[in-house]
Amino acid sequence: MSSEALWLFKQLNLHLEQEGRFRPREKGLSLIECAAEVKPKHLSCIGVCCFQLAARVVEEECNIPSAHEIIRISQCKCTVSDLKRMEKIISEKLHFEFKATTALTFLHLYHTIVLCHTSERKEVLNLDKLEAQLKACNCRLVFSKAKPSVLALCLLTLEVQTLKSVELFEILLRVQKHSKISDGDLLYWRELVSKCLADYSSPECCKPDHKKLVWIVSRRTAQNLQNSYYSVPELPTIPEGGCFNESESEDSSEDMSSGEEILSSSPSDLEGTFFFELEPKTKWQALSCHS
């Protein structure tokens, strides 16, 4: 095995060990499924806060907009203090590990491993297409219950089935065995993924038309935005001490205590399993015949 392949499998082992730490709790998912309504303020606050945390991971500090700016542009109806409290809650839930192991992590790893071992053309497995399919799956709550490693492998096996490549099937079989994914789990989630992608590909599904997005706002919204991005100079001055001003943190007159109590429950039960133990029904090589 080449040094590159060894490194890839070490990375795979590392993420297989960590994936359970970043999975949502079954109790929380059940609450969402059964909820008659969800407080929109909390959802928008969570979304904006996650965006800000992600920006800190991938962007230089001077490229991160201030909390005031994010709130103004997103119109999320929360305050800087709300964002700070939500950031604390989310950070604790993630154990302050912001580079989470997700299905996208495994999709990239599996894809690279396959290309490292195959003699077929490198462009056969289109990563952009696989990422788009993963996005479609992530829009459905049910896939939050799937192990990220299983979900990623399902997408690859379905694509390889379409390509009818025996060599790629054999490589993915070795990946499945190494990842300790049972035939039963793979079959169960693969059927759900296949149905989701079929629905997404149907004419009834509304998909983006890939036109350039234009932000159109009403006169009232434009007035609320006041100093909108339209009036921002092309080269704004960058503060010497970084883009974030600590004086922003205490501007809240609103209270999110009820949402905070719900969201800040103990993460000790993160380890709970979401799955039945499914007995393998068939050999992996025969899975493609099932669909």
Side-chain angles (χ1 to χ4, degrees), residues 15-37:
H15 289 295
L16 286 168
E17 291 174 3
Q18 293 182 346
E19 69 174 328
R21 293 173 59 83
F22 300 101
R23 293 177 64 194
R25 291 177 295 158
E26 185 175 10
K27 181 180 178 181
L29 293 173
S30 298
L31 283 173
I32 296 173
E33 288 175 327
C34 299
E37 61 181 23

Short mmCIF file of all heavy atoms in Angstrom, two decimals, residues 15-37:
data_model
loop_
_atom_site.label_atom_id
_atom_site.label_comp_id
_atom_site.label_asym_id
_atom_site.label_seq_id
_atom_site.Cartn_x
_atom_site.Cartn_y
_atom_site.Cartn_z
N HIS A 15 -11.67 9.69 11.64
CA HIS A 15 -13.03 10.23 11.52
C HIS A 15 -14.09 9.21 11.90
O HIS A 15 -15.16 9.58 12.41
CB HIS A 15 -13.25 10.74 10.10
CG HIS A 15 -12.49 11.99 9.80
ND1 HIS A 15 -12.73 13.19 10.44
CD2 HIS A 15 -11.47 12.24 8.93
CE1 HIS A 15 -11.91 14.12 9.98
NE2 HIS A 15 -11.13 13.57 9.08
N LEU A 16 -13.81 7.93 11.70
CA LEU A 16 -14.74 6.90 12.15
C LEU A 16 -14.86 6.91 13.66
O LEU A 16 -15.94 6.68 14.22
CB LEU A 16 -14.28 5.52 11.66
CG LEU A 16 -14.49 5.22 10.17
CD1 LEU A 16 -13.73 3.96 9.76
CD2 LEU A 16 -15.97 5.09 9.84
N GLU A 17 -13.75 7.17 14.35
CA GLU A 17 -13.78 7.26 15.80
C GLU A 17 -14.54 8.50 16.28
O GLU A 17 -15.19 8.47 17.33
CB GLU A 17 -12.34 7.32 16.35
CG GLU A 17 -11.56 6.02 16.19
CD GLU A 17 -10.12 6.16 16.62
OE1 GLU A 17 -9.75 7.27 17.09
OE2 GLU A 17 -9.35 5.19 16.50
N GLN A 18 -14.50 9.56 15.50
CA GLN A 18 -15.06 10.84 15.94
C GLN A 18 -16.50 11.08 15.51
O GLN A 18 -17.17 11.95 16.07
CB GLN A 18 -14.19 12.00 15.41
CG GLN A 18 -12.82 12.06 16.03
CD GLN A 18 -12.02 13.25 15.50
OE1 GLN A 18 -12.40 13.87 14.51
NE2 GLN A 18 -10.91 13.56 16.15
N GLU A 19 -17.00 10.32 14.53
CA GLU A 19 -18.29 10.68 13.95
C GLU A 19 -19.44 10.67 14.97
O GLU A 19 -20.37 11.46 14.87
CB GLU A 19 -18.64 9.79 12.76
CG GLU A 19 -18.93 8.35 13.07
CD GLU A 19 -19.41 7.58 11.84
OE1 GLU A 19 -20.06 8.17 10.96
OE2 GLU A 19 -19.12 6.36 11.76
N GLY A 20 -19.36 9.80 15.98
CA GLY A 20 -20.41 9.75 16.97
C GLY A 20 -20.51 11.00 17.82
O GLY A 20 -21.59 11.33 18.34
N ARG A 21 -19.41 11.72 17.94
CA ARG A 21 -19.39 12.93 18.78
C ARG A 21 -20.20 14.07 18.17
O ARG A 21 -20.64 14.98 18.89
CB ARG A 21 -17.94 13.40 18.99
CG ARG A 21 -17.10 12.46 19.80
CD ARG A 21 -15.64 12.91 19.83
NE ARG A 21 -15.49 14.25 20.39
CZ ARG A 21 -15.42 14.52 21.69
NH1 ARG A 21 -15.53 13.53 22.57
NH2 ARG A 21 -15.24 15.75 22.12
N PHE A 22 -20.39 14.04 16.87
CA PHE A 22 -21.04 15.15 16.19
C PHE A 22 -22.43 14.81 15.67
O PHE A 22 -23.04 15.61 14.97
CB PHE A 22 -20.17 15.63 15.03
CG PHE A 22 -18.81 16.10 15.46
CD1 PHE A 22 -17.70 15.30 15.32
CD2 PHE A 22 -18.66 17.35 16.03
CE1 PHE A 22 -16.45 15.73 15.72
CE2 PHE A 22 -17.41 17.80 16.44
CZ PHE A 22 -16.30 16.99 16.29
N ARG A 23 -22.94 13.66 16.03
CA ARG A 23 -24.27 13.28 15.58
C ARG A 23 -25.33 13.88 16.49
O ARG A 23 -25.15 13.97 17.70
CB ARG A 23 -24.42 11.76 15.54
CG ARG A 23 -23.55 11.08 14.50
CD ARG A 23 -23.69 9.59 14.58
NE ARG A 23 -25.06 9.16 14.26
CZ ARG A 23 -25.50 7.93 14.52
NH1 ARG A 23 -24.73 7.05 15.12
NH2 ARG A 23 -26.74 7.62 14.19
N PRO A 24 -26.46 14.32 15.92
CA PRO A 24 -27.54 14.87 16.76
C PRO A 24 -28.15 13.79 17.63
O PRO A 24 -28.17 12.61 17.27
CB PRO A 24 -28.55 15.41 15.74
CG PRO A 24 -28.28 14.62 14.50
CD PRO A 24 -26.80 14.33 14.49
N ARG A 25 -28.67 14.20 18.78
CA ARG A 25 -29.29 13.25 19.69
C ARG A 25 -30.65 12.80 19.15
O ARG A 25 -31.40 13.61 18.59
CB ARG A 25 -29.46 13.87 21.07
CG ARG A 25 -28.14 14.09 21.80
CD ARG A 25 -28.38 14.78 23.13
NE ARG A 25 -28.91 16.12 22.92
CZ ARG A 25 -29.60 16.79 23.84
NH1 ARG A 25 -29.84 16.23 25.00
NH2 ARG A 25 -30.05 18.01 23.58
N GLU A 26 -30.97 11.55 19.35
CA GLU A 26 -32.25 11.01 18.89
C GLU A 26 -33.41 11.73 19.56
O GLU A 26 -34.43 12.02 18.92
CB GLU A 26 -32.31 9.52 19.20
CG GLU A 26 -33.56 8.83 18.63
CD GLU A 26 -33.54 7.34 18.85
OE1 GLU A 26 -32.67 6.86 19.59
OE2 GLU A 26 -34.41 6.67 18.27
N LYS A 27 -33.25 12.08 20.83
CA LYS A 27 -34.31 12.78 21.55
C LYS A 27 -34.59 14.13 20.90
O LYS A 27 -35.76 14.52 20.73
CB LYS A 27 -33.89 12.98 23.01
CG LYS A 27 -34.93 13.68 23.87
CD LYS A 27 -34.42 13.83 25.30
CE LYS A 27 -35.44 14.59 26.16
NZ LYS A 27 -34.94 14.77 27.55
N GLY A 28 -33.54 14.85 20.53
CA GLY A 28 -33.72 16.15 19.90
C GLY A 28 -34.39 16.04 18.54
O GLY A 28 -35.27 16.84 18.20
N LEU A 29 -34.00 15.04 17.76
CA LEU A 29 -34.62 14.84 16.45
C LEU A 29 -36.10 14.48 16.58
O LEU A 29 -36.93 14.93 15.80
CB LEU A 29 -33.88 13.74 15.68
CG LEU A 29 -32.44 14.07 15.26
CD1 LEU A 29 -31.77 12.84 14.66
CD2 LEU A 29 -32.42 15.21 14.26
N SER A 30 -36.42 13.67 17.60
CA SER A 30 -37.82 13.30 17.82
C SER A 30 -38.65 14.51 18.19
O SER A 30 -39.81 14.65 17.76
CB SER A 30 -37.92 12.25 18.94
OG SER A 30 -37.22 11.07 18.57
N LEU A 31 -38.08 15.42 18.98
CA LEU A 31 -38.79 16.65 19.35
C LEU A 31 -39.10 17.49 18.11
O LEU A 31 -40.18 18.05 17.98
CB LEU A 31 -37.95 17.46 20.34
CG LEU A 31 -37.93 16.96 21.79
CD1 LEU A 31 -36.93 17.77 22.61
CD2 LEU A 31 -39.31 17.04 22.42
N ILE A 32 -38.12 17.56 17.19
CA ILE A 32 -38.34 18.33 15.97
C ILE A 32 -39.42 17.70 15.12
O ILE A 32 -40.29 18.38 14.57
CB ILE A 32 -37.02 18.45 15.18
CG1 ILE A 32 -35.98 19.25 15.98
CG2 ILE A 32 -37.26 19.11 13.83
CD1 ILE A 32 -34.61 19.26 15.35
N GLU A 33 -39.38 16.37 15.01
CA GLU A 33 -40.37 15.67 14.19
C GLU A 33 -41.79 15.83 14.74
O GLU A 33 -42.75 15.92 13.97
CB GLU A 33 -40.02 14.18 14.12
CG GLU A 33 -38.79 13.89 13.27
CD GLU A 33 -38.40 12.43 13.31
OE1 GLU A 33 -38.59 11.78 14.36
OE2 GLU A 33 -37.89 11.92 12.30
N CYS A 34 -41.90 15.89 16.06
CA CYS A 34 -43.23 15.93 16.68
C CYS A 34 -43.72 17.36 16.92
O CYS A 34 -44.89 17.55 17.27
CB CYS A 34 -43.22 15.19 18.02
SG CYS A 34 -42.80 13.44 17.88
N ALA A 35 -42.84 18.34 16.76
CA ALA A 35 -43.21 19.71 17.10
C ALA A 35 -44.27 20.25 16.16
O ALA A 35 -44.15 20.13 14.93
CB ALA A 35 -41.97 20.61 17.07
N ALA A 36 -45.32 20.86 16.74
CA ALA A 36 -46.35 21.49 15.91
C ALA A 36 -45.81 22.75 15.25
O ALA A 36 -46.18 23.11 14.15
CB ALA A 36 -47.57 21.81 16.77
N GLU A 37 -44.93 23.47 15.97
CA GLU A 37 -44.31 24.66 15.42
C GLU A 37 -42.94 24.85 16.08
O GLU A 37 -42.69 24.36 17.18
CB GLU A 37 -45.17 25.88 15.64
CG GLU A 37 -45.42 26.19 17.12
CD GLU A 37 -46.30 27.41 17.31
OE1 GLU A 37 -47.05 27.75 16.37
OE2 GLU A 37 -46.22 28.02 18.38
#
